[in-house]
Amino acid sequence: MTFLKKIFPLVFLGTAAASAQYTDQINSNRPGESMSAFAVGKTVAQIEAGTYGIMEEHDVLNYEAKGMGFDLTLRYGLILEELELIADMQYQFDQYSNALETFNRNDFRQFTIGAKYLIFDPDKNYKPEINIYSWKANRKFKWRSIIPAVSAYVGGNFLMNDNPYTFKTDRISPKFMLITQNHFGKWVWVNNIIADKFLTDYPSIGLISTLTRGFNERWSGFLEFQGYKSDFYADGIGRIGAAHLLNSNLQIDASVSTNFKTTPSILYGGIGISWRFDANYKDIVLFGEGDREEELKQQQEKEKDKKAKRRKELRERRKKRLDDMETPSED
C-alpha cells in the first residue's frame, strides 16, 4: 500500500544520502496498494489501518456483492536500517446475491507476512555538488534521479480452508516482489512487480505503478494503476486519493478505486490512518536537504569572508604603494 512512501518525508525534506531509512515525518504506504522501497527505520514500529466499502456487479453471471472491510498493516524495522518486517491483512464482510440465492460472507481476503530489504539506494553516500552562486542551479532536474532505489520483498500468503474469497488450494503460498522508487522533486514514482500465489493452481503476475505529488507540507495526492493476470482472472484497477499529515507521526488518508471491466465491475472507497512509534530510534547522521541548505549557507559565508579578506589585502597593498611613492628618497 503506497502513498507517502516517502512523500511527506522525502518530498519536503529531501532524500537522505546515507544508509538511514528513518525520516523526520512518517513514511506510510497508505492509501494506495503499492509498497515503497524504503523501510521505516531500525526499531521503528508503524501501524497503517483503514476501512472501506465495496460494490461488485457481474453482467454475465448476474450477481452482485456489497459490503465493507478492514485493512491492517504492521511494519517494523529489524536489525538493519534497510530491513523491514511486514504483516498485511484485509478482512471483508459482504452480502452476495444472484438469481437463486442471497447469503452473507466474511473472511480474510489477504493475510500476508514477509520481509523487505533495500538492495540499492542511489543516494547512499552521495553528496551532491553545491553551487554557492545559484539557488536555481541547486534545484534543477538531475539526471541521476532517473536511477531508482531498488528493494526486494519475500513473503507468504496464509489463508484458511473454506475461504469464500479464494480457492481451496491457495492456503499457503509464496509471494515475491521487486520494488523501484524514483524521486523527481515533488513527485515520487513507485513500481511493484509482483509474482504471487505460486505453487497453487492459479499463480498470478502483477504490476502496481503509483505516482504521488506533494502539494505542501501537509497535503499530497496520488494516482495509481494496478494490473494483474492469471489463468483464472485478469483485470486493471485505477485509484486516486490524498493524504493529510496531522503531525510528524500521524497521517490520515482517503481514496477511491474502480476497475476497467464489467465482468465484474468493482467500485470501492476507503479512509485510513497511519501512526508511527519511534521512541526507541537512535538518530543517524544524514546528508539531506536540510544539511544541503546549511552547507550552502556556510559556503556562502566562507566565500564572503574570502572576498572581504582579498579586498582588505588589496587596500593594504594600494596604501603601501602610495606611502612608498610619497616617502622622500634619502638621496
Side-chain angles (χ1 to χ4, degrees):
M1 297 180 179
T2 289
F3 185 46
L4 301 179
K5 274 171 194 160
K6 56 257 137 91
I7 272 303
F8 287 128
L10 300 183
V11 165
F12 301 114
L13 298 181
T15 304
S19 60
Q21 305 295 287
Y22 179 83
T23 51
D24 288 341
Q25 294 170 324
I26 186 171
N27 165 9
S28 176
N29 284 331
R30 288 192 59 88
E33 290 294 329
S34 62
M35 185 182 295
S36 68
F38 294 93
V40 292
K42 184 179 176 182
T43 73
V44 175
Q46 191 159 304
I47 299 174
E48 302 172 9
T51 182
Y52 64 90
I54 184 169
M55 181 170 61
E56 179 177 335
E57 295 181 352
H58 201 296
D59 288 348
V60 176
L61 299 180
N62 193 29
Y63 76 79
E64 66 175 26
K66 298 179 181 179
M68 63 175 296
F70 300 95
D71 295 311
L72 177 63
T73 301
L74 305 176
R75 304 170 62 185
Y76 184 73
L78 181 68
I79 304 175
L80 303 172
E81 281 288 322
E82 298 85 357
L83 181 63
E84 177 179 296
L85 298 182
I86 306 167
D88 195 0
M89 294 158 274
Q90 184 182 70
Y91 198 94
Q92 184 167 309
F93 304 83
D94 63 32
Q95 185 178 76
Y96 179 93
S97 301
N98 59 30
L100 300 176
E101 58 182 341
T102 297
F103 57 89
N104 295 324
R105 305 182 298 182
N106 67 91
D107 211 323
F108 283 99
R109 295 208 67 156
Q110 181 170 302
F111 194 111
T112 306
I113 298 175
K116 176 181 67 179
Y117 181 76
L118 181 68
I119 299 172
F120 173 72
D121 180 0
D123 290 320
K124 183 176 182 180
N125 300 323
Y126 168 67
K127 187 173 182 180
E129 296 181 2
I130 297 176
N131 188 331
I132 62 174
Y133 301 105
S134 174
W135 180 91
K136 184 177 180 181
N138 291 317
R139 285 156 182 80
K140 69 180 182 180
F141 177 80
K142 295 177 177 60
W143 286 103
R144 68 174 287 110
S145 64
I146 296 175
I147 304 172
V150 180
S151 288
Y153 170 89
V154 178
N157 300 293
F158 300 90
L159 297 174
M160 304 303 291
N161 294 335
D162 301 322
N163 188 310
Y165 302 112
T166 188
F167 300 102
K168 290 184 178 181
T169 57
D170 282 359
R171 297 184 183 177
I172 300 175
S173 60
K175 182 176 183 177
F176 305 101
M177 192 184 312
L178 179 68
I179 305 166
T180 66
Q181 182 166 326
N182 295 84
H183 301 271
F184 307 109
K186 291 186 177 182
W187 295 88
V188 176
W189 186 30
V190 175
N191 289 284
N192 293 178
I193 301 171
I194 307 164
D196 197 11
K197 296 185 178 180
F198 277 74
L199 306 181
T200 71
D201 292 341
Y202 298 103
S204 70
I205 57 174
L207 169 69
I208 307 177
S209 185
T210 309
L211 187 63
T212 310
R213 188 185 192 282
F215 301 119
N216 54 46
E217 293 184 355
R218 295 290 179 180
W219 286 96
S220 290
F222 84 107
L223 293 171
E224 182 174 273
F225 170 78
Q226 179 178 6
Y228 49 92
K229 185 180 186 304
S230 71
D231 291 340
F232 175 74
Y233 183 70
D235 204 349
I237 297 174
R239 296 187 183 90
I240 186 171
H244 178 64
L245 190 68
L246 296 177
N247 59 51
S248 60
N249 290 322
L250 188 64
Q251 171 197 299
I252 57 175
D253 61 73
S255 65
V256 176
S257 308
T258 186
N259 67 335
F260 304 123
K261 300 174 65 174
T262 58
T263 53
S265 62
I266 303 172
L267 175 66
Y268 58 97
I271 56 174
I273 188 169
S274 301
W275 175 75
R276 178 177 71 173
F277 178 78
D278 60 354
N280 297 324
Y281 184 79
K282 295 181 179 180
D283 289 336
I284 293 177
V285 177
L286 301 178
F287 184 83
E289 192 68 25
D291 301 312
R292 291 182 62 193
E293 294 288 348
E294 184 62 30
E295 183 171 338
L296 180 58
K297 291 179 181 178
Q298 292 176 1
Q299 290 195 20
Q300 288 173 337
E301 290 298 325
K302 289 180 180 178
E303 189 66 21
K304 287 180 182 179
D305 292 341
K306 288 181 181 179
K307 288 181 179 180
K309 186 176 180 181
R310 284 198 296 268
R311 286 195 296 267
K312 182 179 179 181
E313 291 175 350
L314 288 173
R315 286 196 299 268
E316 291 177 349
R317 290 177 186 174
R318 194 176 297 114
K319 184 177 182 299
K320 186 176 184 303
R321 285 198 299 270
L322 291 173
D323 291 344
D324 292 340
M325 290 174 63
E326 293 175 357
T327 301
S329 173
E330 294 182 357
D331 296 338

